[in-house]
Amino acid sequence: TVRRNDSQPVLWLQRTVEYAVDNRVVRLLYSHPYDLFESSRLRDYRPAFISFLDLMEQTQAQGHLNVQSMSYFAEFMLQMLKTEYSFTNRSNGLDVHVRKPAGLQGLTLAFPQSKFLPPQKGAWQVQSDNDLFFVTLDTAADETHLFVPAR
């Protein structure tokens, strides 16, 4: 058997959380935590997994992570597939048209801050990080248009 350094599982689990937060992506981590308590050969991984659960709980409480079931994210991905987008480059910016039959509430679009400015006020909220700004639609309508000005 391969003996791992005790810090490797902790670092891998911690970096999984950090990656999901930093890149605003969905990551599926499938596990049977009860195995850690029923299997003597997995006993050494208990502290790492408990630390991981604590980190996820803290990060979610800070509003940086959304921990949900597999079925929740499966439905989330299916809704993304049902969303129609069109982006048209203009000399002064980007025309964006979005349509989703189930409604657009909560749909988020990301744009590079180096190329675009946030759109003027509308039925959306804007947040940003160092590289991107995020437009989260705040409408139950199934279709919308926005203009994202060029820098």
Side-chain angles (χ1 to χ4, degrees):
T1 62
V2 176
R3 183 74 180 155
R4 292 186 175 97
N5 178 312
D6 288 344
S7 66
Q8 286 179 320
V10 172
L11 288 173
W12 180 79
L13 292 165
Q14 179 182 351
R15 288 180 180 151
T16 300
V17 172
E18 291 169 355
Y19 183 85
V21 170
D22 291 347
N23 294 284
R24 298 175 185 247
V25 296
V26 173
R27 283 291 177 252
L28 172 64
L29 184 66
Y30 187 78
S31 157
H32 293 269
Y34 58 82
D35 286 343
L36 296 172
F37 297 94
E38 293 179 2
S39 170
S40 60
R41 69 182 176 85
L42 297 176
R43 184 177 304 137
D44 293 343
Y45 293 102
R46 286 181 201 164
F49 198 77
I50 290 169
S51 175
F52 169 68
L53 293 175
D54 289 343
L55 176 62
M56 284 195 310
E57 186 176 4
Q58 292 167 1
T59 308
Q60 181 167 279
Q62 295 167 351
H64 301 298
L65 184 69
N66 185 5
V67 178
Q68 297 288 344
S69 66
M70 285 185 355
S71 60
Y72 173 91
F73 282 111
E75 179 59 27
F76 173 80
M77 295 296 189
L78 287 173
Q79 287 302 314
M80 295 304 296
L81 292 173
K82 295 176 184 177
T83 305
E84 298 173 14
Y85 302 87
S86 70
F87 299 90
T88 305
N89 279 312
R90 306 277 184 222
S91 61
N92 59 344
L94 188 65
D95 273 319
V96 180
H97 181 260
V98 185
R99 182 177 184 283
K100 184 173 74 166
L104 297 170
Q105 185 72 39
L107 182 76
T108 300
L109 305 167
F111 301 92
Q113 291 191 46
S114 62
K115 296 185 180 194
F116 299 102
L117 298 168
Q120 297 298 315
K121 292 182 182 180
W124 50 77
Q125 298 174 9
V126 178
Q127 294 179 318
S128 63
D129 66 13
N130 293 332
D131 302 315
L132 302 169
F133 67 85
F134 305 91
V135 178
T136 301
L137 302 178
D138 192 16
T139 178
D142 65 356
E143 192 168 354
T144 194
H145 172 267
L146 59 137
F147 180 76
V148 184
R151 281 207 174 269

